[in-house]
């Protein structure tokens, strides 16, 4: 039978064209059948309520896997990595439909770009047609792109730990946030980690929100010995890393209800705190199971926009707890007060400049 050249997916009253609908994006696994490009677009449409709650009015980068997901395929690490099969799209792709809206963002370098800013479900479905699996929204709305309205706590299991450890630490994080007067929402990362989100008042700059994440992380690691904020991997041990740098300008996390490029088409899935405790294997939350959960129980994050919180209690922790400024990501411009970007095991006698270059005595 000849393969169809195109199909259409109904998305918010629009018929979105999907080319090569029979292309295999995810191969079959022991748990799941194969997933076609059309099925990806249909999944995106089915997740409208939760997905648009995560993306609406947010500048969004796209993680595109146009050839599908296969063992050995790589995501490009930068513009020079031309041999990678997948890549991040930060600017609006050519051929975008006229209903697609944009928002202008400023990168740490000072350069600007017009990024996709979803306002209706047809936009993410069109992005799926373009090979997008994972949506990476900024923690801002297009009305004010310099003041985040989300605090994102990324709990990243290090070697020797796993999903169950991240779930336990997430519960401790929830308790600590509640003590500080903030309400937390949780989702799986779609892999081994857990993401904790707090809706915040858009009164602070990225620098402040990052400091709030550092302050919270330091308080959390004092409460739980399995938590670390150590930036250098060699210092983390078998612990859960609080990746505070996910709150930097131009650093994003896979959105709620995004697919992840892993076998079985797993989904970064919002859950109630009770349901999170019952998840033994996050791979159970995938393209085949999540739409039914969303249809039956609704989006567990339906109330996330009901109240926005102050991060002042977290900023107070940053000022009160010892440690000071922490390293930024390697691709970020050097920041005032930042310690040298030198791996601890490589430090030897001598002095270092602000960029981590050794100055001979």
């Amino acid at each position: 039978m000849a393969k169809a050249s195109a199909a259409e997916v109904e998305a918010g009253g629009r018929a979105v064209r999907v080319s090569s609908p029979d292309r295999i994006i995810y191969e079959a696994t022991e748990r799941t059948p194969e997933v076609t490009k059309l099925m990806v677009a249909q999944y995106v449409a089915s997740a409208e309520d939760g997905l648009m709650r995560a993306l609406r009015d947010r500048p969004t980068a796209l993680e595109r896997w146009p050839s599908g997901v296969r063992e050995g395929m790589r995501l490009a690490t930068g513009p020079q990595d031309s041999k990678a099969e997948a890549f991040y799209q930060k600017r609006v792709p050519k051929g975008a439909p006229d209903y697609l809206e944009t928002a202008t963002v400023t990168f740490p370098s000072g350069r600007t770009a017009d990024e996709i800013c979803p306002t209706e479900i047809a936009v993410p479905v069109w992005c799926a047609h373009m090979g997008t699996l994972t949506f990476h929204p900024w923690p801002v709305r297009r009305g004010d792109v310099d003041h985040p309205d989300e605090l994102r706590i990324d709990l990243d299991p290090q070697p020797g730990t796993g999903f169950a450890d991240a779930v336990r630490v997430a519960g401790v994080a929830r308790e600590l946030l509640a003590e500080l007067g903030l309400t937390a929402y949780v989702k799986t990362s779609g892999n081994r980690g857990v993401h904790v989100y707090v809706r915040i008042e858009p009164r602070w700059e990225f620098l402040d929100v990052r400091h709030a994440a550092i302050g919270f992380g330091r308080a959390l690691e004092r409460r739980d010995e399995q938590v670390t904020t150590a930036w250098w991997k060699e210092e983390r041990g078998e612990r859960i890393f609080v990746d505070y740098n996910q709150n930097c300008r131009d650093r994003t996390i896979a959105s709620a209800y995004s697919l992840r490029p892993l076998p079985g088409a797993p989904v970064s899935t919002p859950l109630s705190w009770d349901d999170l405790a019952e998840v033994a294997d996050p791979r159970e939350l995938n393209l085949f199971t999540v739409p039914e959960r969303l249809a039956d129980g609704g989006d567990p994050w339906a109330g996330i926009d009901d109240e926005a919180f102050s991060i002042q209690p977290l900023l107070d922790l940053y000022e009160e707890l010892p440690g000071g400024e922490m390293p930024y990501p390697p691709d970020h411009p050097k920041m005032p007060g930042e310690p040298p970007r030198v791996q601890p095991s490589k430090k030897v006698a001598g002095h270092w400049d602000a960029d981590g270059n050794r100055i001979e005595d």
Side-chain angles (χ1 to χ4, degrees):
M1 180 181 296
K3 293 185 177 181
S5 60
E8 288 188 343
V9 172
E10 173 68 22
R14 298 188 190 275
V16 180
R17 181 179 181 274
V18 178
S19 65
S20 305
D22 299 322
R23 178 180 298 161
I24 304 302
I25 303 300
Y26 293 93
E27 296 178 314
T29 70
E30 293 181 355
R31 295 168 174 262
T32 55
E34 66 185 19
V35 175
T36 65
K37 186 178 177 182
L38 178 60
M39 292 167 69
V40 169
Q42 291 171 332
Y43 162 75
V44 171
S46 74
E48 176 180 3
D49 180 48
L51 184 62
M52 289 308 300
R53 184 169 289 109
L55 301 182
R56 190 180 306 279
D57 292 329
R58 298 190 184 279
T60 301
L62 310 177
E63 186 178 330
R64 294 175 59 187
W65 293 76
S67 298
V69 178
R70 302 288 188 277
E71 184 177 357
M73 285 186 171
R74 293 187 306 107
L75 179 64
T77 56
Q80 307 305 318
D81 192 0
S82 59
K83 294 184 179 180
E85 294 83 4
F87 56 94
Y88 288 108
Q89 179 100 39
K90 293 189 175 182
R91 290 171 170 79
V92 178
K94 294 181 180 179
D98 57 9
Y99 55 80
L100 186 149
E101 299 186 30
T102 65
T104 302
V105 294
T106 303
F107 300 124
S109 65
R111 293 181 297 108
T112 62
D114 291 334
E115 291 200 355
I116 286 175
C117 187
T119 57
E120 57 177 289
I121 190 59
V123 173
V125 173
W126 177 81
C127 293
H129 150 73
M130 296 293 288
T132 300
L133 296 181
T134 308
F135 298 92
H136 292 265
W138 283 50
V140 299
R141 309 278 186 175
R142 62 175 172 175
D144 184 353
V145 296
D146 294 316
H147 296 89
D149 72 341
E150 280 184 345
L151 173 70
R152 298 170 174 179
I153 306 298
D154 181 5
L155 301 177
D156 184 9
Q158 300 303 291
T161 66
F163 177 72
D165 299 299
V167 169
R168 188 191 63 77
V169 168
V172 180
R174 180 197 185 193
E175 293 173 358
L176 179 55
L177 286 166
E179 291 172 14
L180 295 167
L182 290 79
T183 298
Y185 290 79
V186 70
K187 67 183 180 74
T188 63
S189 70
N191 195 358
R192 299 167 63 243
V194 173
H195 298 157
V196 178
Y197 278 44
V198 178
R199 182 67 76 242
I200 63 174
E201 298 169 352
R203 297 197 285 122
W204 291 271
E205 298 181 352
F206 282 91
L207 177 68
D208 300 313
V209 177
R210 177 180 174 275
H211 284 167
I214 293 173
F216 176 76
R218 286 174 176 159
L220 188 62
E221 66 184 338
R222 282 160 176 74
R223 177 164 297 197
D224 193 302
E225 63 181 9
Q226 201 180 12
V227 175
T228 180
T229 58
W231 177 247
W232 302 104
K233 291 182 179 180
E234 64 185 37
E235 294 186 325
R236 294 176 188 169
E238 295 185 2
R239 291 181 285 183
I240 302 299
F241 171 50
V242 179
D243 191 352
Y244 57 87
N245 272 331
Q246 293 291 17
N247 294 279
C248 288
R249 179 183 290 271
D250 193 33
R251 298 287 280 201
T252 56
I253 294 179
S255 80
Y257 298 102
S258 272
L259 290 160
R260 304 308 304 273
L262 295 167
V267 170
S268 182
T269 309
L271 297 166
S272 70
W273 286 98
D274 288 343
D275 285 348
L276 175 68
E278 297 178 0
V279 177
D281 187 339
R283 292 176 297 178
E284 298 170 358
L285 302 168
N286 54 56
L287 175 146
F288 297 96
T289 62
V290 169
E292 184 176 351
R293 291 180 64 96
L294 192 55
D296 290 347
D299 180 15
W301 285 21
I304 194 170
D305 292 315
D306 291 349
E307 184 177 5
F309 297 91
S310 169
I311 61 170
Q312 191 58 53
L314 309 184
L315 293 173
D316 291 343
L317 290 173
Y318 177 77
E319 294 297 332
E320 294 165 4
L321 297 176
E325 186 58 277
M326 297 279 281
Y328 278 75
D331 57 348
H332 198 284
K334 191 67 180 179
M335 297 295 288
E338 181 185 357
R341 297 179 186 177
V342 182
Q343 193 171 325
S345 62
K346 295 183 179 179
K347 288 183 178 179
V348 295
H351 300 93
W352 302 83
D353 66 17
D355 294 316
N357 300 308
R358 186 184 177 199
I359 302 173
E360 298 294 339
D361 292 332

PDB file of all heavy atoms in Angstrom, residues 246-264:
ATOM      1  N   GLN A 246      18.917  26.270  35.566  1.00  0.00           N
ATOM      2  CA  GLN A 246      17.759  26.206  34.668  1.00  0.00           C
ATOM      3  C   GLN A 246      16.919  27.470  34.766  1.00  0.00           C
ATOM      4  O   GLN A 246      15.994  27.663  33.975  1.00  0.00           O
ATOM      5  CB  GLN A 246      16.901  24.973  34.994  1.00  0.00           C
ATOM      6  CG  GLN A 246      17.560  23.644  34.694  1.00  0.00           C
ATOM      7  CD  GLN A 246      17.734  23.378  33.202  1.00  0.00           C
ATOM      8  OE1 GLN A 246      17.660  24.272  32.375  1.00  0.00           O
ATOM      9  NE2 GLN A 246      17.981  22.132  32.858  1.00  0.00           N
ATOM     10  N   ASN A 247      17.230  28.341  35.715  1.00  0.00           N
ATOM     11  CA  ASN A 247      16.511  29.607  35.850  1.00  0.00           C
ATOM     12  C   ASN A 247      17.263  30.785  35.235  1.00  0.00           C
ATOM     13  O   ASN A 247      16.872  31.937  35.429  1.00  0.00           O
ATOM     14  CB  ASN A 247      16.219  29.865  37.330  1.00  0.00           C
ATOM     15  CG  ASN A 247      15.248  28.857  37.909  1.00  0.00           C
ATOM     16  OD1 ASN A 247      14.040  28.976  37.740  1.00  0.00           O
ATOM     17  ND2 ASN A 247      15.770  27.841  38.577  1.00  0.00           N
ATOM     18  N   CYS A 248      18.337  30.498  34.499  1.00  0.00           N
ATOM     19  CA  CYS A 248      19.051  31.550  33.772  1.00  0.00           C
ATOM     20  C   CYS A 248      18.237  32.015  32.564  1.00  0.00           C
ATOM     21  O   CYS A 248      17.400  31.267  32.035  1.00  0.00           O
ATOM     22  CB  CYS A 248      20.398  31.031  33.263  1.00  0.00           C
ATOM     23  SG  CYS A 248      21.652  30.761  34.504  1.00  0.00           S
ATOM     24  N   ARG A 249      18.523  33.196  32.108  1.00  0.00           N
ATOM     25  CA  ARG A 249      17.963  33.665  30.839  1.00  0.00           C
ATOM     26  C   ARG A 249      18.370  32.699  29.726  1.00  0.00           C
ATOM     27  O   ARG A 249      19.526  32.291  29.617  1.00  0.00           O
ATOM     28  CB  ARG A 249      18.477  35.076  30.529  1.00  0.00           C
ATOM     29  CG  ARG A 249      17.971  35.660  29.228  1.00  0.00           C
ATOM     30  CD  ARG A 249      18.582  37.016  28.971  1.00  0.00           C
ATOM     31  NE  ARG A 249      18.073  38.024  29.902  1.00  0.00           N
ATOM     32  CZ  ARG A 249      16.971  38.761  29.682  1.00  0.00           C
ATOM     33  NH1 ARG A 249      16.267  38.578  28.575  1.00  0.00           N
ATOM     34  NH2 ARG A 249      16.591  39.659  30.569  1.00  0.00           N
ATOM     35  N   ASP A 250      17.412  32.328  28.890  1.00  0.00           N
ATOM     36  CA  ASP A 250      17.616  31.449  27.735  1.00  0.00           C
ATOM     37  C   ASP A 250      17.902  30.000  28.119  1.00  0.00           C
ATOM     38  O   ASP A 250      18.305  29.207  27.287  1.00  0.00           O
ATOM     39  CB  ASP A 250      18.715  31.979  26.815  1.00  0.00           C
ATOM     40  CG  ASP A 250      18.727  31.264  25.456  1.00  0.00           C
ATOM     41  OD1 ASP A 250      17.640  30.881  24.984  1.00  0.00           O
ATOM     42  OD2 ASP A 250      19.813  31.079  24.875  1.00  0.00           O
ATOM     43  N   ARG A 251      17.686  29.618  29.375  1.00  0.00           N
ATOM     44  CA  ARG A 251      17.736  28.208  29.751  1.00  0.00           C
ATOM     45  C   ARG A 251      16.297  27.747  29.937  1.00  0.00           C
ATOM     46  O   ARG A 251      15.509  28.396  30.648  1.00  0.00           O
ATOM     47  CB  ARG A 251      18.516  28.007  31.041  1.00  0.00           C
ATOM     48  CG  ARG A 251      19.959  28.429  30.943  1.00  0.00           C
ATOM     49  CD  ARG A 251      20.798  27.470  30.130  1.00  0.00           C
ATOM     50  NE  ARG A 251      21.174  26.307  30.906  1.00  0.00           N
ATOM     51  CZ  ARG A 251      22.195  25.521  30.605  1.00  0.00           C
ATOM     52  NH1 ARG A 251      22.931  25.770  29.533  1.00  0.00           N
ATOM     53  NH2 ARG A 251      22.494  24.468  31.341  1.00  0.00           N
ATOM     54  N   THR A 252      15.945  26.655  29.300  1.00  0.00           N
ATOM     55  CA  THR A 252      14.561  26.201  29.335  1.00  0.00           C
ATOM     56  C   THR A 252      14.491  24.727  29.686  1.00  0.00           C
ATOM     57  O   THR A 252      15.476  23.988  29.568  1.00  0.00           O
ATOM     58  CB  THR A 252      13.874  26.433  27.977  1.00  0.00           C
ATOM     59  OG1 THR A 252      14.638  25.786  26.952  1.00  0.00           O
ATOM     60  CG2 THR A 252      13.772  27.923  27.666  1.00  0.00           C
ATOM     61  N   ILE A 253      13.309  24.307  30.110  1.00  0.00           N
ATOM     62  CA  ILE A 253      13.030  22.922  30.482  1.00  0.00           C
ATOM     63  C   ILE A 253      11.903  22.415  29.596  1.00  0.00           C
ATOM     64  O   ILE A 253      11.027  23.177  29.193  1.00  0.00           O
ATOM     65  CB  ILE A 253      12.615  22.834  31.967  1.00  0.00           C
ATOM     66  CG1 ILE A 253      13.789  23.208  32.870  1.00  0.00           C
ATOM     67  CG2 ILE A 253      12.102  21.451  32.326  1.00  0.00           C
ATOM     68  CD1 ILE A 253      13.457  23.165  34.350  1.00  0.00           C
ATOM     69  N   ALA A 254      11.935  21.136  29.269  1.00  0.00           N
ATOM     70  CA  ALA A 254      10.841  20.531  28.504  1.00  0.00           C
ATOM     71  C   ALA A 254       9.512  20.855  29.171  1.00  0.00           C
ATOM     72  O   ALA A 254       9.345  20.695  30.378  1.00  0.00           O
ATOM     73  CB  ALA A 254      11.025  19.019  28.426  1.00  0.00           C
ATOM     74  N   SER A 255       8.558  21.325  28.371  1.00  0.00           N
ATOM     75  CA  SER A 255       7.281  21.754  28.926  1.00  0.00           C
ATOM     76  C   SER A 255       6.450  20.578  29.422  1.00  0.00           C
ATOM     77  O   SER A 255       6.677  19.418  29.055  1.00  0.00           O
ATOM     78  CB  SER A 255       6.470  22.502  27.861  1.00  0.00           C
ATOM     79  OG  SER A 255       5.843  21.583  26.978  1.00  0.00           O
ATOM     80  N   ALA A 256       5.478  20.900  30.231  1.00  0.00           N
ATOM     81  CA  ALA A 256       4.460  19.918  30.575  1.00  0.00           C
ATOM     82  C   ALA A 256       3.817  19.395  29.295  1.00  0.00           C
ATOM     83  O   ALA A 256       3.533  20.158  28.374  1.00  0.00           O
ATOM     84  CB  ALA A 256       3.406  20.560  31.473  1.00  0.00           C
ATOM     85  N   TYR A 257       3.628  18.080  29.240  1.00  0.00           N
ATOM     86  CA  TYR A 257       2.992  17.367  28.129  1.00  0.00           C
ATOM     87  C   TYR A 257       3.856  17.301  26.878  1.00  0.00           C
ATOM     88  O   TYR A 257       3.382  16.883  25.823  1.00  0.00           O
ATOM     89  CB  TYR A 257       1.598  17.934  27.825  1.00  0.00           C
ATOM     90  CG  TYR A 257       0.677  17.781  29.009  1.00  0.00           C
ATOM     91  CD1 TYR A 257       0.389  18.857  29.839  1.00  0.00           C
ATOM     92  CD2 TYR A 257       0.128  16.543  29.336  1.00  0.00           C
ATOM     93  CE1 TYR A 257      -0.414  18.707  30.962  1.00  0.00           C
ATOM     94  CE2 TYR A 257      -0.671  16.383  30.447  1.00  0.00           C
ATOM     95  CZ  TYR A 257      -0.944  17.471  31.263  1.00  0.00           C
ATOM     96  OH  TYR A 257      -1.737  17.318  32.373  1.00  0.00           O
ATOM     97  N   SER A 258       5.127  17.670  26.974  1.00  0.00           N
ATOM     98  CA  SER A 258       6.038  17.473  25.849  1.00  0.00           C
ATOM     99  C   SER A 258       6.461  16.014  25.780  1.00  0.00           C
ATOM    100  O   SER A 258       6.708  15.363  26.805  1.00  0.00           O
ATOM    101  CB  SER A 258       7.300  18.340  26.001  1.00  0.00           C
ATOM    102  OG  SER A 258       7.140  19.619  25.452  1.00  0.00           O
ATOM    103  N   LEU A 259       6.594  15.523  24.548  1.00  0.00           N
ATOM    104  CA  LEU A 259       7.232  14.235  24.327  1.00  0.00           C
ATOM    105  C   LEU A 259       8.729  14.385  24.530  1.00  0.00           C
ATOM    106  O   LEU A 259       9.289  15.479  24.365  1.00  0.00           O
ATOM    107  CB  LEU A 259       6.955  13.737  22.911  1.00  0.00           C
ATOM    108  CG  LEU A 259       5.525  13.297  22.621  1.00  0.00           C
ATOM    109  CD1 LEU A 259       5.249  13.296  21.125  1.00  0.00           C
ATOM    110  CD2 LEU A 259       5.283  11.906  23.198  1.00  0.00           C
ATOM    111  N   ARG A 260       9.386  13.291  24.857  1.00  0.00           N
ATOM    112  CA  ARG A 260      10.840  13.299  24.986  1.00  0.00           C
ATOM    113  C   ARG A 260      11.425  12.321  23.963  1.00  0.00           C
ATOM    114  O   ARG A 260      10.804  11.292  23.644  1.00  0.00           O
ATOM    115  CB  ARG A 260      11.271  12.895  26.397  1.00  0.00           C
ATOM    116  CG  ARG A 260      10.665  13.748  27.512  1.00  0.00           C
ATOM    117  CD  ARG A 260      10.867  15.247  27.313  1.00  0.00           C
ATOM    118  NE  ARG A 260      12.244  15.642  27.153  1.00  0.00           N
ATOM    119  CZ  ARG A 260      13.085  15.922  28.153  1.00  0.00           C
ATOM    120  NH1 ARG A 260      12.668  15.817  29.405  1.00  0.00           N
ATOM    121  NH2 ARG A 260      14.323  16.306  27.907  1.00  0.00           N
ATOM    122  N   PRO A 261      12.612  12.593  23.446  1.00  0.00           N
ATOM    123  CA  PRO A 261      13.200  11.751  22.400  1.00  0.00           C
ATOM    124  C   PRO A 261      13.876  10.506  22.971  1.00  0.00           C
ATOM    125  O   PRO A 261      15.086  10.313  22.866  1.00  0.00           O
ATOM    126  CB  PRO A 261      14.221  12.704  21.759  1.00  0.00           C
ATOM    127  CG  PRO A 261      14.650  13.585  22.880  1.00  0.00           C
ATOM    128  CD  PRO A 261      13.422  13.797  23.712  1.00  0.00           C
ATOM    129  N   LEU A 262      13.053   9.643  23.557  1.00  0.00           N
ATOM    130  CA  LEU A 262      13.527   8.414  24.167  1.00  0.00           C
ATOM    131  C   LEU A 262      12.614   7.271  23.733  1.00  0.00           C
ATOM    132  O   LEU A 262      11.440   7.506  23.390  1.00  0.00           O
ATOM    133  CB  LEU A 262      13.521   8.534  25.693  1.00  0.00           C
ATOM    134  CG  LEU A 262      14.479   9.575  26.292  1.00  0.00           C
ATOM    135  CD1 LEU A 262      14.137   9.815  27.761  1.00  0.00           C
ATOM    136  CD2 LEU A 262      15.916   9.119  26.132  1.00  0.00           C
ATOM    137  N   PRO A 263      13.095   6.035  23.735  1.00  0.00           N
ATOM    138  CA  PRO A 263      12.252   4.910  23.331  1.00  0.00           C
ATOM    139  C   PRO A 263      10.940   4.862  24.102  1.00  0.00           C
ATOM    140  O   PRO A 263      10.901   5.111  25.314  1.00  0.00           O
ATOM    141  CB  PRO A 263      13.130   3.693  23.657  1.00  0.00           C
ATOM    142  CG  PRO A 263      14.534   4.199  23.561  1.00  0.00           C
ATOM    143  CD  PRO A 263      14.473   5.608  24.083  1.00  0.00           C
ATOM    144  N   GLY A 264       9.855   4.567  23.384  1.00  0.00           N
ATOM    145  CA  GLY A 264       8.553   4.453  24.027  1.00  0.00           C
ATOM    146  C   GLY A 264       7.757   5.733  24.072  1.00  0.00           C
ATOM    147  O   GLY A 264       6.667   5.763  24.630  1.00  0.00           O
TER     148      GLY A 264
END
